[in-house]
Amino acid sequence: MTDPQRTEADARPAAVLKGLGTYLPPRAVSNDELSERLDTSDEWIRTRTGIRQRFWADPGTATGDLAVEAGARALKSAGVDGVDAVVLATTTPDHPCPGTAPWVAARLGLGPVPAYDVAAVCAGFVYALASAAGLILTGVAERVLVIGAETYSGILDPADRNTAVIFGDGAGAVVLEAGRADEPGALLGFDLGSDGEQHDLIAIPGGGSRQRAASPYFTMQGKKVFAQAVTRMGQSSTALLERLGWPKSSVDRLVGHQANVRILHAVADLLDIDRERAVVNLDRVGNTSAASIPLALADAAGSGELRPGERVVLTAFGGGLAWGSTALVWPDVTPN
Ligand code: ACO
């Protein structure tokens, strides 16, 4: 199916989305369960964030395990059994060294392909898409598996109600293939940015080379992050739409990073897009960081909320600070 609003200039080469797979660990954690041991409540969490539950992996399950499951499902959704590269976005790698992607590629039986991790926190999946598109457009790869996978349950301070109620574990993956910009599924452009001056708003202070003995737990200055998330995702999506020549009114679905339903609505308001067009699945999965965008896409496509031929904007924001957006016409892909 082609988009009637396209121009001939769109016959340029592009990375095209061909498959989508996701995986959530089996254990759902309700707000009530968290309220038993933290000074919080289902009512506070629901009204301030929109989250009703999240999934947490058991301590024996690593990010790479979730990534393998989602990766296998994406390959199946695309109807392929091989790729030329694997790009894995995560904040919670299996180990500080080596990267998680090579092991995931090996577990998936993909052979000695290039495989590497991308660290852009909650913006990681969009950065990974851009990196994979770069591999395709430079001829390094014809087909790339892009995965976002996280096990935040392992880095949350169980006593910190500011973060423990927000994050969930999960993984999502897509297969990108070399194609043309006038095909449905083609990633039509990217807007990426960062602001390292505000690196301390979202951080794991310890474990790296700067503060070796500091806390290994994830920290977030929620209020400041909220304001930045709205501004940056709004600006980034607007810049991308202007570059693509897509009027805001032509966007059918806004798939934003699933951090807080109030953030998603504020970004929709900035873009003059009806709030109903902003895809929301954080009520079910919480904030899954780098896995957030593919999990939201799969929920929306699986439920029929997102239909082939619709114009979709993906926008994400997270620690770094880092943010990014991309856009596509949704292809006829069945999420797995
Ligand atoms: N239960 C009950 N009360 C709470 C909880 C809780 N779980 N958490 C905080 N509070 C309290 C605070 O202590 C504060 O109390 P006080 O007024 O007595 O000091 C009050 O609620 C208000 O706190 P705020 O932080 O101002 O609450 P806010 O409405 O901003 O909501 C939240 C906090 C949900 C974290 C919000 O700021 C948010 O969503 N921020 C953005 C998160 C985000 O976008 N993340 C994306 C990037 S994440 C990444 O990159 C990994």
Side-chain angles (χ1 to χ4, degrees):
M1 189 187 313
T2 52
D3 180 347
Q5 298 177 61
R6 291 295 183 66
T7 63
E8 285 169 29
D10 285 336
R12 67 193 190 280
V16 181
L17 193 153
K18 294 287 184 181
L20 172 61
T22 59
Y23 180 75
L24 291 163
R27 191 166 98 76
V29 178
S30 69
N31 292 344
D32 284 337
E33 179 179 338
L34 295 178
S35 307
E36 283 169 20
R37 60 175 175 78
L38 283 167
D39 183 14
T40 189
S41 65
D42 173 55
E43 208 250 331
W44 192 95
I45 302 168
R46 261 191 301 105
T47 53
R48 301 309 294 163
T49 71
I51 297 167
R52 292 172 184 274
Q53 64 166 29
R54 71 290 292 142
F55 292 83
W56 281 358
D58 68 64
T61 301
T63 294
D65 299 320
L66 307 184
V68 166
E69 295 291 341
R73 291 174 187 204
L75 294 171
K76 199 168 168 206
S77 163
V80 300
D81 52 16
V83 294
D84 307 310
V86 176
V87 184
L88 171 66
T90 188
T91 320
T92 50
D94 289 7
H95 307 280
C97 165
T100 304
W103 183 82
V104 169
R107 282 273 303 276
L108 288 168
L110 296 173
V113 298
Y116 56 91
D117 293 2
V118 167
V121 199
C122 296
F125 193 76
V126 175
Y127 271 72
L129 288 176
S131 178
L135 293 177
I136 288 171
L137 293 174
T138 52
V140 173
E142 281 273 310
R143 188 187 293 147
V144 185
L145 178 62
V146 183
I147 308 174
E150 302 281 14
T151 47
Y152 265 62
S153 57
I155 58 167
L156 295 172
D157 178 350
D160 180 8
R161 69 178 181 175
N162 292 300
T163 53
V165 304
I166 291 172
F167 293 92
D169 301 340
V174 299
V175 173
L176 297 184
E177 252 179 40
R180 287 166 39 142
D182 55 6
E183 291 179 53
L187 300 179
L188 296 170
F190 287 92
D191 179 82
L192 304 174
S194 75
D195 177 6
E197 296 291 341
Q198 305 200 64
H199 66 275
D200 56 340
L201 293 191
I202 296 168
I204 300 174
S209 59
R210 187 158 301 280
Q211 291 176 275
R212 298 181 188 191
S215 165
Y217 288 131
F218 178 89
T219 62
M220 180 171 75
Q221 297 181 40
K223 245 191 176 22
K224 288 183 182 167
V225 170
F226 190 111
Q228 284 291 318
V230 173
T231 306
R232 298 304 191 178
M233 285 196 280
Q235 287 174 344
S236 177
S237 315
T238 302
L240 180 67
L241 289 174
E242 279 170 8
R243 213 174 306 146
L244 295 179
W246 281 13
K248 289 172 176 173
S249 57
S250 76
V251 175
D252 296 301
R253 297 288 158 205
L254 177 67
V255 181
H257 169 50
Q258 302 287 308
N260 188 316
V261 70
R262 293 186 290 131
I263 293 176
L264 294 172
H265 286 165
V267 174
D269 292 350
L270 276 180
L271 294 175
D272 292 325
I273 292 174
D274 286 350
R275 290 181 172 192
E276 294 72 42
R277 293 190 179 189
V279 168
V280 177
N281 81 331
L282 57 82
D283 53 322
R284 204 170 67 82
V285 300
N287 180 342
T288 56
S289 194
S292 165
I293 294 274
L295 283 169
L297 280 173
D299 266 0
S303 70
E305 182 186 357
L306 175 57
R307 290 186 297 269
E310 289 189 331
R311 285 184 165 188
V312 193
V313 172
L314 313 182
T315 187
F317 168 88
L321 302 175
W323 56 87
S325 306
T326 187
L328 67 163
V329 173
W330 191 248
D332 192 2
V333 157
T334 306
N336 189 20

